[in-house]
Amino acid sequence: MTAEAGCRAALYLRLSRDDTGCAGESESIANQRRLLHDYALRQGWPVVAEYADDGVSGTTFDRPQFQKMLCEIPQCGINLILIKDLYLLRRDYLETGRDLERYFPEHGVRVVAVGDAVDTAHEDIFLPMRNYINELYARDTSGKIRAALQTKMKDGRFIGHYAPYGYRRDPQERGRLVPDQAAAAVVRQLFAGAAGGAAPSVLAARLNAQGEAPPSVYRGSAPRGEWTAGTVRRILQNEVYLGTLIQGKTRKPSFKSGKVRRTAPEEQFVVPHCHEALVSQTVFEQVQQQSRSRRISRSGGFVNVFTGIAFCADCGRAMSTVGTRRKGSRADLACGGYKQHGRRTCTRHGTNYEALEAAVLDVLHRHLALTEREKAELRKRLMHSLCSPEGEDAHGLRRSLSRTEDTIAALYLDRATGRLAEDSFYAALHRLEEQAAALRRRLDMRETELPDAARLESVINECCCPEWLTRELVRAFVRRIEVEEGTGRGAARRQNIRISLHFEQNEIAKTIACE
């Protein structure tokens, strides 16, 4: 391509958050822009667009400007992309290879990496190896960063983005927390009130009446908001106010994955006496005891099976468990908005838990009745699923994925050294990429702890004619329940509910006794 060939160039700039602490000035967005503009000017290439992802890792696909560039290539007639170094494009060698050898050529786009002296207008048999080396670098960097963060957490240094409410970072030692006197006074007020028996909803209402800014507004991450019972409860249960740091509560299964999973307690980093405590151990334990005494007793095995399923039909908030004086009843449900903020948000929508349970059970009985032949066919299909590769555990999936990626790397090496013809290379690469993508999807499902076929079989067997509701049963078949406000008084009080099932398009309307 020459300047006379109607060149329309675009610049792509990127700076990872990880690069900001270890890279030199030449890696900055401003210097990348200056370098590429100078290069384009010397070549006589007009620059028609510029895309910059500042503070975004190259291992993630969720880069707004990169995605925008891909969309605008055909729309704006871009036929040349300038980048400083090849790794700034992507650090996943499979995706980089797909971009450079498929997407860009198919759209008539030439890619020039100035720092690496790479120009896709000229064949480079070592280009696949460059991509693989870039990914190895990203993998190594990810491991080093994780190790450095773990060392900091073991040493009791705070690594979070925001300091917990009531604290701020020490200006002289960024990894240490010191009290933020204004917010710390609010925290002490909350613990004092809770130790005296005040419920979180009462404490939240008290702070809203005083005009105290909630944590999100106080630290500037939200323009407005108010205190809620949930916010108060999280503060009262947080051991950071005893001077203890608990970190490493979540982690990513892979540096390529965007998913986050919760870690087991034994995997977390718990370091006491890291900073000044805002409350004493005695007060903290007293607050926890008060909280336990307010909870509905679980000694009878009570579990709210409608959590995340039942919602207020008027304000849309989740229905929340509340106490009941009804003899023999385990609980009532009420609108979460009303529970937290009172009548200024919504009305109570008080619901008899047992009546709602009976209504849902009746609906499931009518919709889930199976013949013996249907049961046998269902078991057969489930057993087939159990014997399929989907039944493989996460460890086995990771091993299979690792072997597949090693095979792809060897394939690139064979192509680079000329031992494999181009047609054979792309045919094998396509098959292996699809296999790797399928393994990643199955691994993501395992990492996020989705129900496996064995659990599903147990649920199906129980729900042919269930005697009672379980959380698994409700989640497997009920999409949503909406509860309207009741009408009438006393024994004549009735309430309309709407039940949506996963396998039914139309809502099912029921009327229950709500008192």
Side-chain angles (χ1 to χ4, degrees):
M1 181 187 297
T2 65
E4 291 76 21
C7 170
R8 293 176 61 81
L11 310 185
Y12 180 67
L13 321 169
R14 182 176 66 79
L15 181 67
S16 171
R17 281 189 296 266
D18 301 334
D19 294 335
T20 57
C22 58
E25 176 64 17
S26 63
E27 298 298 317
S28 72
I29 292 290
N31 281 304
Q32 287 182 47
R33 180 182 293 111
R34 188 181 308 113
L35 172 70
L36 296 180
H37 271 293
D38 289 347
Y39 187 85
L41 183 63
R42 290 197 303 272
Q43 300 299 321
W45 295 335
V47 176
V48 298
E50 181 182 302
Y51 306 91
D53 283 310
D54 198 354
V56 184
S57 171
T59 60
T60 178
F61 300 156
D62 188 19
R63 285 181 276 158
Q65 289 296 301
F66 184 78
Q67 296 299 330
K68 181 181 179 183
M69 179 180 72
L70 294 182
C71 291
E72 291 186 354
I73 282 174
Q75 297 173 5
C76 301
I78 295 169
N79 52 22
L80 172 65
I81 292 176
L82 283 175
I83 53 176
K84 181 183 178 294
D85 291 307
L86 198 59
Y87 80 89
L88 295 172
L89 199 61
R90 293 187 194 261
R91 276 184 172 158
D92 184 310
Y93 72 97
L94 295 178
E95 295 297 330
T96 305
R98 183 180 293 111
D99 287 343
L100 294 178
E101 300 190 34
R102 289 189 183 179
Y103 182 84
F104 292 137
E106 288 173 0
H107 289 79
V109 177
R110 173 184 175 186
V111 179
V112 175
V114 177
D116 289 330
V118 170
D119 186 343
T120 58
H122 311 293
E123 186 174 2
D124 183 356
I125 63 173
F126 294 107
L127 187 57
M129 292 306 298
R130 288 180 190 265
N131 297 336
Y132 186 54
I133 290 169
N134 283 335
E135 174 163 325
L136 291 179
Y137 173 75
R139 189 186 299 271
D140 180 62
T141 301
S142 174
K144 288 178 179 177
I145 291 173
R146 177 174 290 184
L149 291 177
Q150 288 179 346
T151 299
K152 289 183 178 181
M153 289 188 285
K154 288 177 183 176
D155 292 342
R157 285 182 281 174
F158 181 73
I159 65 168
H161 188 60
Y162 292 112
Y165 181 75
Y167 291 98
R168 59 183 175 86
R169 292 180 182 273
D170 188 336
Q172 279 73 45
E173 188 179 346
R174 295 287 293 168
R176 183 171 175 269
L177 298 176
V178 295
D180 178 336
Q181 296 304 329
V186 176
V187 171
R188 294 188 182 101
Q189 177 185 341
L190 287 174
F191 273 94
S201 57
V202 173
L203 295 171
R206 190 177 298 168
L207 290 177
N208 287 328
Q210 294 173 1
E212 293 287 352
S216 59
V217 176
Y218 186 81
R219 65 178 176 238
S221 61
R224 58 185 177 275
E226 59 182 11
W227 286 90
T228 66
T231 303
V232 172
R233 193 177 296 110
R234 283 190 291 273
I235 289 176
L236 296 177
Q237 293 173 350
N238 197 339
E239 292 183 41
V240 72
Y241 300 112
L242 290 173
T244 299
L245 274 182
I246 303 177
Q247 300 185 100
K249 295 180 181 179
T250 62
R251 68 174 297 172
K252 293 182 179 180
S254 164
F255 77 99
K256 293 183 181 181
S257 175
K259 294 183 179 294
V260 175
R261 67 174 182 85
R262 292 198 64 83
T263 57
E266 59 270 17
E267 297 180 272
Q268 298 172 7
F269 298 88
V270 182
V271 185
H273 313 301
C274 292
H275 49 265
E276 181 182 337
L278 298 186
V279 297
S280 68
Q281 184 73 41
T282 302
V283 171
F284 188 85
E285 288 297 334
Q286 186 177 354
V287 170
Q288 307 318 304
Q289 180 59 40
Q290 289 282 359
S291 176
R292 286 191 290 269
S293 68
R294 278 194 302 272
R295 291 178 192 157
I296 297 173
S297 173
R298 301 285 177 108
S299 59
F302 173 74
V303 175
N304 180 14
V305 300
F306 301 114
T307 299
I309 299 292
F311 296 89
C312 173
D314 293 321
C315 73
R317 288 181 170 86
M319 298 294 288
S320 180
T321 308
V322 294
T324 179
R325 297 179 181 178
R326 193 181 302 103
K327 188 175 181 179
S329 179
R330 292 168 291 174
D332 278 351
L333 295 181
C335 170
Y338 173 85
K339 182 178 177 180
Q340 290 185 348
H341 308 295
R343 288 189 175 274
R344 60 194 175 91
T345 299
C346 197
T347 55
R348 189 170 184 272
H349 290 68
T351 304
N352 182 328
Y353 185 88
E354 284 77 14
L356 179 61
E357 191 175 40
V360 174
L361 195 58
D362 178 65
V363 168
L364 292 181
H365 279 166
R366 288 189 282 111
H367 285 77
L368 299 179
L370 299 178
T371 66
E372 290 302 321
R373 182 177 178 180
E374 289 171 332
K375 291 179 186 178
E377 178 64 23
L378 186 56
R379 291 190 187 96
K380 180 180 176 181
R381 292 186 181 184
L382 286 170
M383 290 307 297
H384 175 74
S385 176
L386 282 170
C387 296
S388 71
E390 293 290 341
E392 192 173 4
D393 61 17
H395 181 65
L397 288 170
R398 278 191 288 269
R399 284 186 309 187
S400 298
L401 180 58
S402 178
R403 286 196 297 268
T404 303
E405 290 181 338
D406 289 343
T407 304
I408 293 174
L411 194 68
Y412 271 104
L413 181 60
D414 288 344
R415 170 64 182 140
T417 56
R419 291 199 297 265
L420 191 63
E422 184 175 356
D423 291 344
S424 301
F425 169 74
Y426 283 116
L429 180 63
H430 179 69
R431 176 176 57 81
L432 288 169
E433 284 179 344
E434 287 187 341
Q435 181 178 327
L439 286 168
R440 287 195 188 96
R441 287 193 298 269
R442 282 154 51 192
L443 181 59
D444 280 343
M445 290 179 65
R446 295 297 173 191
E447 294 289 357
T448 51
E449 300 178 348
L450 291 178
D452 57 22
R455 288 181 61 197
L456 183 58
E457 181 183 23
S458 175
V459 170
I460 294 295
N461 286 337
E462 290 175 2
C463 77
C464 290
C465 189
E467 296 181 12
W468 55 79
L469 292 181
T470 64
R471 189 183 300 235
E472 290 80 7
L473 181 66
V474 173
R475 290 189 178 277
F477 297 105
V478 181
R479 181 188 301 114
R480 184 181 178 91
I481 299 172
E482 293 188 349
V483 181
E484 298 181 5
E485 183 59 274
T487 58
R489 291 179 176 274
R493 186 169 173 78
R494 294 292 182 268
Q495 195 164 28
N496 294 326
I497 61 171
R498 298 190 295 272
I499 302 172
S500 299
L501 303 179
H502 287 299
F503 50 85
E504 281 283 341
Q505 283 189 325
N506 298 326
E507 291 181 334
I508 302 164
K510 298 277 289 184
T511 300
I512 61 174
C514 52
E515 291 294 343

